[in-house]
Amino acid sequence: PRESSEQVCVLSLSLINIALEAGGDHLGLYPALVTVMQGDLCKHLLQNSQSNDLTILSLTLRVVFNLFNSIKDHLKVQLEVFLTSVHLRLLDLDSADSKVPPERRELALESLLEFCHEPALMLDLYINYDCDVQCTNLFETVCNVLARHALPTHGKVNSINRLALDGLLSII
């Protein structure tokens, strides 16, 4: 039964990705659909981000990116929650949860890079979060996390260092 539910989850996430990619920003024109995406979809994506299954995590992170590409104007709070509670949590070297397996960390970093490669989104992060006293300084935090991960540990450069450097360079 568990394997079946994982297969259903993978299929569901794949179908949601297709819908988001095909619908694009037109999805924001339907208030009832936006409400479902703001509530139930985001709640389930947060739950899926806790999965130990790398396929489910990868697809979840892809849905998150496509969701924000599609209807980011409707998801200010959700973007802050996803970046802080999923991406940055998986990449936080200082937390008690720093025992995150490198594969999960790399998936989170690759997903964060997708956001970094969207110049308008990085500007939006700064304007809508860092300049708002009621929000987290997301742009600053993302840059700091990328800078920490860009530095090699023990003198060896690895894939995470390269990805983080790529993220910093794309922001600049």
Side-chain angles (χ1 to χ4, degrees), residues 144-155:
N144 285 335
V145 166
L146 290 172
R148 279 194 308 229
H149 282 285
L151 297 174
T153 53
H154 311 297

Side-chain angles (χ1 to χ4, degrees), residues 96-148:
D97 196 24
S98 64
K99 300 271 189 254
V100 174
E103 299 84 13
R104 289 177 57 82
R105 190 168 290 184
E106 192 167 345
L107 280 175
L109 190 51
E110 287 171 350
S111 177
L112 187 58
L113 281 184
E114 287 187 286
F115 286 98
C116 292
H117 287 133
E118 295 292 324
L121 184 62
M122 289 293 105
L123 180 61
D124 287 345
L125 281 184
Y126 181 74
I127 292 170
N128 294 317
Y129 298 93
D130 292 53
C131 294
D132 184 339
V133 294
Q134 296 178 349
C135 293
T136 306
N137 290 340
L138 277 180
F139 181 78
E140 178 185 357
T141 305
V142 166
C143 290
N144 285 335
V145 166
L146 290 172
R148 279 194 308 229

Side-chain angles (χ1 to χ4, degrees), residues 25-41 67 71 73-75 78:
D25 55 359
H26 298 292
L27 297 172
L29 301 174
Y30 302 95
L33 189 55
V34 169
T35 301
V36 169
M37 290 189 282
Q38 288 173 323
D40 290 337
L41 179 59
L67 186 62
I71 61 165
D73 295 340
H74 302 280
L75 299 171
Q78 290 85 348

